[in-house]
Amino acid sequence: MQCREVLEQLAAYADVEVLPRDLQVHVDACEDCRIELAEYRTLLAATRSMQSVAVETPSWLLPTLTSVVRDNAEARKASRERLAKLSDPKVITGGVLVAAGVAGALLFRGRRRRKRTFATRLRQSIAGA
């Protein structure tokens, strides 16, 4: 067998004590494949040892997560309610009317200022002449 063929099969035999004869012959003769098999077996042993490790969660974690999820849900609900209110045709119409009123007032105020300025300049020019 060639290394490429052996390497494709080594992971499947990492937890087996006795390899099939053709694999065993190659692994005994090839240092690279022997190292690869040893690494698979080391990885498998480390993985198995991790299964028995119990991790205790901190006592603050569950209440904190619950609070964050609840706050997020409430914020989303409030946001949806505000959006629903803003999409009401009455609110949209009112907003357009207010904007038109503000624009009209600004235009009127601007014209009025220009007239005053012109009138003031005219008076000053007459007074200075």
Side-chain angles (χ1 to χ4, degrees):
M1 293 184 89
Q2 295 182 5
C3 288
R4 181 179 48 81
E5 296 169 330
V6 172
L7 291 175
E8 289 174 358
Q9 298 179 29
L10 278 184
Y13 291 103
D15 61 343
V16 175
E17 227 16 76
V18 179
L19 298 175
R21 187 170 180 351
D22 52 346
L23 284 176
Q24 188 65 52
V25 169
H26 181 86
V27 168
D28 289 341
C30 179
E31 184 179 356
D32 290 339
C33 291
R34 192 170 41 256
I35 291 171
E36 189 74 19
L37 179 61
E39 288 178 359
Y40 275 125
R41 288 181 172 164
T42 302
L43 180 63
L44 185 63
T47 305
R48 285 185 178 148
S49 71
M50 289 175 61
Q51 291 175 352
S52 62
V53 175
V55 178
E56 189 173 324
T57 58
S59 59
W60 56 265
L61 184 61
L62 183 60
T64 302
L65 287 176
T66 305
S67 174
V68 168
V69 170
R70 185 179 304 117
D71 292 347
N72 192 2
E74 289 172 1
R76 284 184 169 185
K77 182 180 178 186
S79 178
R80 281 192 300 267
E81 288 173 355
R82 281 192 304 271
L83 185 60
K85 288 178 183 176
L86 289 176
S87 63
D88 183 7
K90 292 177 184 175
V91 173
I92 293 171
T93 304
V96 168
L97 291 175
V98 168
V102 169
L106 290 174
L107 284 173
F108 178 74
R109 183 175 177 210
R111 282 187 180 168
R112 195 167 170 209
R113 273 192 178 169
R114 275 188 245 126
K115 286 181 183 177
R116 278 191 199 159
T117 306
F118 178 73
T120 305
R121 276 190 280 166
L122 184 61
R123 276 190 223 123
Q124 288 174 349
S125 66
I126 292 172

